[in-house]
């Protein structure tokens, strides 16, 4: 990704500051994860931050990009308070959310699915969650989806982080974890002997890179960056080194949908 020849004022402000602050989750294998050995932030969402920083600064100097842990419950707060400039944190674009924050993208298309213990054969689809204790996270689209699509699923005790949900399924506190398939794939790839993913997605989840509400210059710049990543192969490279380690079948990069 080459440095942009000229920058809009909102991006120039970030460049003059000398650092892009990028919100990402730290507990999602393949998407956003702090490597316990190196301390590095890894995953596809983190790679999107690196691509944007590279286009702003023309350098892959890690001091130019600060990753800030951002969970489902505080994404909008962090953006609109200025704590972070942008985020990629498995954040689905929706009309409701467009009233609160701005989006570029989508940069990835996921679908909500179900993770259970490997030896649990009682759940094979959405309808089987009726009467089951299902772990979702506070502030997530997954929680809202289940309320609408299977109100008989017990989602009365959401947790703050997906890592907590995975552990709770593993120890039997919950029957299942339901969220986007790419997130579940990360936990499955880390613990293939413990978990099973149903493999029957029941929603469409277009992930967006988000900004504070009313940020048209940031939105346009990042949309252009995503288009360039399509043209020069950077998106495919980012996929191959992250999600591709668990699922080598590279999907089509979704078309940017500016608004």
């Amino acid at each position: 990704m080459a440095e942009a020849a000229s920058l809009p004022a909102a991006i120039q402000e970030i460049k003059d500051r000398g650092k892009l602050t990028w919100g990402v989750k730290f507990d999602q294998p393949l998407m956003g994860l702090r490597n316990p050995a190196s301390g590095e932030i890894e995953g596809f969402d983190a790679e999107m931050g690196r691509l944007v920083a590279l286009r702003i600064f023309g350098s892959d100097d890690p001091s130019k990009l600060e990753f800030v842990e951002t969970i489902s419950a505080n994404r909008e707060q962090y953006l609109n308070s200025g704590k972070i400039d942008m985020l990629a944190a498995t954040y689905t674009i929706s009309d409701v959310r467009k009233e609160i924050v701005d989006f570029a993208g989508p940069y990835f298309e996921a679908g909500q699915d179900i993770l259970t213990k490997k030896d649990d054969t009682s759940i094979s689809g959405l309808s089987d969650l009726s009467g089951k204790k299902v772990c979702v996270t506070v502030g997530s689209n997954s929680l809202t989806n289940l309320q609408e699509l299977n109100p008989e699923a017990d989602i009365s005790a959401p947790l703050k982080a997906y890592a907590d949900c995975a552990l709770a399924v593993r120890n039997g506190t919950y029957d299942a974890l339901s969220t986007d398939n790419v997130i579940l794939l990360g936990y499955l790839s880390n613990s293939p002997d413990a978990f099973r993913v149903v493999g029957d997605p029941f929603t469409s989840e277009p992930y967006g890179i988000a900004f504070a509400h009313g940020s048209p210059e940031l939105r346009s710049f990042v949309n252009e960056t995503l288009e360039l990543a399509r043209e020069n192969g950077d998106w495919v490279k980012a996929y191959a080194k992250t999600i591709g380690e668990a699922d080598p079948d590279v999907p089509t990069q979704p078309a940017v949908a500016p608004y």
Side-chain angles (χ1 to χ4, degrees), residues 114 121-134 150 152-153 175-176 196 198:
I114 303 162
T121 59
S122 67
I123 298 173
S124 59
L126 175 64
S127 62
D128 295 325
L129 296 181
S130 298
K132 301 286 189 179
K133 189 173 182 182
V134 183
N150 188 346
E152 295 182 8
D175 297 304
R196 175 180 65 90
V198 166

Side-chain angles (χ1 to χ4, degrees), residues 20 22-26 28 30-34 40-53 65 67 87-90 107 238 241-242:
L20 171 68
W22 189 269
V24 67
K25 293 182 177 178
F26 283 13
Q28 289 182 352
L30 307 181
M31 296 302 288
L33 182 72
R34 182 189 289 278
E40 293 291 316
I41 308 304
E42 302 171 344
F44 192 69
D45 285 346
E47 290 304 308
M48 293 300 101
R50 292 187 174 100
L51 288 180
V52 174
L65 177 63
F67 290 113
L87 71 78
T90 58
Y107 66 94
K241 70 184 292 187
T242 56

Side-chain angles (χ1 to χ4, degrees), residues 113-125 128-129 132 166 169-170 175-178 181 184-185 187-189 191-200:
D113 210 328
I114 303 162
L115 175 143
T116 69
K117 278 187 174 182
K118 188 171 185 176
D119 59 0
D120 183 351
T121 59
S122 67
I123 298 173
S124 59
D128 295 325
L129 296 181
K132 301 286 189 179
V169 172
R170 189 167 191 160
D175 297 304
L177 159 59
S178 184
N181 51 0
L184 301 180
L185 182 63
Y187 293 116
L188 177 64
S189 65
S191 303
D193 294 330
F195 297 127
R196 175 180 65 90
V197 173
V198 166
D200 186 19

Side-chain angles (χ1 to χ4, degrees), residues 130-142:
S130 298
K132 301 286 189 179
K133 189 173 182 182
V134 183
C135 197
V136 290
T137 58
V138 177
S140 68
N141 221 40
S142 303

Side-chain angles (χ1 to χ4, degrees), residues 44-122:
F44 192 69
D45 285 346
E47 290 304 308
M48 293 300 101
R50 292 187 174 100
L51 288 180
V52 174
L54 185 57
R55 187 161 181 243
I56 294 173
F57 298 105
S59 166
D60 58 4
D61 179 351
S63 70
K64 301 295 186 182
L65 177 63
E66 179 185 356
F67 290 113
V68 178
E69 184 175 18
T70 309
I71 62 174
S72 297
N74 62 24
R75 288 179 292 206
E76 294 91 353
Q77 175 193 343
Y78 277 19
L79 287 168
N80 289 320
S81 69
K83 184 178 179 68
I84 55 176
D85 296 312
M86 313 175 186
L87 71 78
T90 58
Y91 194 22
T92 300
I93 300 170
S94 71
D95 289 340
V96 170
R97 286 172 171 169
K98 285 179 182 177
E99 299 297 319
I100 305 169
V101 299
D102 282 4
F103 287 103
Y107 66 94
F108 189 78
E109 186 86 31
Q112 188 168 343
D113 210 328
I114 303 162
L115 175 143
T116 69
K117 278 187 174 182
K118 188 171 185 176
D119 59 0
D120 183 351
T121 59
S122 67

